[in-house]
Amino acid sequence: MPPMDAPEPGMITCTREGALVSELVMVIEDEKEIRDLVRYNLEKAGYRVAAAADGEEGLKQLFASRPDALVLDLMLPGINGLEIVREVRGEPLGFEQGADDYLTKPFSPRELVARVKALLRRSKPTGSARSLEAGPLRVDLEAHVATCAGERLDLTPREFDLLAFLARHPGRALTRDELLRKVWGYDYVGETRTVDVHVRRLRAKLGEHHEMIETVLGAGYKLIAPAA
């Protein structure tokens, strides 16, 4: 991959760690002809494909659909490809390593599909299910199960996503606005009070370990692991 400030137009590819079967590939490309060409070839190769024509819409779909791989144009109008990579890096989508590959335009659709296949194959887990741990809390991202002190937590899908996001960033103060964007999605329309309601429910379900979710005055919330 060339330096991240490479001037020539091209396509960036990223894969989500732990991607499994029936992979969903997100394509963000402003040129309709190229977007349709990439989509056609990926679908022909057996992938499910979601597509967007600009960075803003692409981010909305990214956090809503959580694809296994991302193919995007470097020089998008508005929010460009590098900004999108920086936005999703380290978030619950799991694109933690930034851009995995790069193709300059014009490129071969066959080569693009081959690289997506290789990256997805490389990203598949080889051992046990991935999980996040903080003190007595364990969040199994693949089984979609969370336990605390060995007891399974009865969580709604949104509660699980919120807890997983907090567990992915232990000790980091997360604002309500950030939680709404990254957990509920960029297209969510609602008040930040929604976050408070879900945090209150999570604390109730954590029982004696409710203090693991700490309120940060003037900011939001953070997950802390109690000392052993």
Side-chain angles (χ1 to χ4, degrees), residues 15-190:
T15 49
R16 180 166 64 84
E17 183 182 359
L20 299 175
V21 296
S22 302
E23 295 98 341
L24 172 65
V25 180
M26 178 76 203
V27 177
I28 308 177
E29 165 61 62
D30 59 317
E31 296 185 46
K32 186 178 185 302
E33 295 79 8
I34 296 178
R35 187 171 66 250
D36 290 346
L37 178 65
V38 172
R39 179 169 198 157
Y40 170 78
N41 282 274
L42 287 170
E43 289 180 338
K44 186 178 179 182
Y47 297 107
R48 294 178 295 124
V49 179
D54 58 67
E56 184 175 357
E57 177 60 28
L59 278 175
K60 290 180 181 179
Q61 292 196 39
L62 269 170
F63 287 100
S65 62
R66 306 192 178 205
D68 300 300
L70 170 63
V71 177
L72 70 159
D73 188 11
L74 175 64
M75 303 181 70
L76 291 166
I79 304 175
N80 65 43
L82 295 183
E83 290 175 309
I84 292 175
V85 171
R86 295 188 186 105
E87 182 72 16
V88 301
R89 183 184 298 156
E91 304 305 342
L93 291 169
F95 294 103
E96 297 177 350
Q97 303 305 317
D100 292 314
D101 209 339
Y102 182 91
L103 283 174
T104 57
K105 293 180 179 178
F107 58 86
S108 161
R110 180 179 296 179
E111 176 67 14
L112 176 63
V113 172
R115 294 199 189 188
V116 169
K117 283 183 179 179
L119 291 170
L120 282 169
R121 185 166 55 248
R122 189 180 71 195
S123 71
K124 289 181 180 179
T126 57
S128 59
R130 292 174 57 242
S131 64
L132 303 170
E133 295 188 17
L137 178 68
R138 184 175 187 274
V139 181
D140 189 322
L141 300 175
E142 292 177 0
H144 222 259
V145 171
T147 60
C148 189
E151 296 293 326
R152 180 166 177 164
L153 301 176
D154 183 17
L155 304 177
T156 66
R158 187 71 75 193
E159 290 168 352
F160 179 89
D161 289 344
L162 177 57
L163 186 61
F165 189 86
L166 290 167
R168 189 178 289 276
H169 303 283
R172 172 182 159 189
L174 302 163
T175 67
R176 292 171 176 83
D177 285 334
E178 181 178 7
L179 290 169
L180 276 178
R181 289 188 298 115
K182 303 297 179 60
V183 178
W184 274 258
Y186 272 74
D187 56 350
Y188 178 79
V189 178

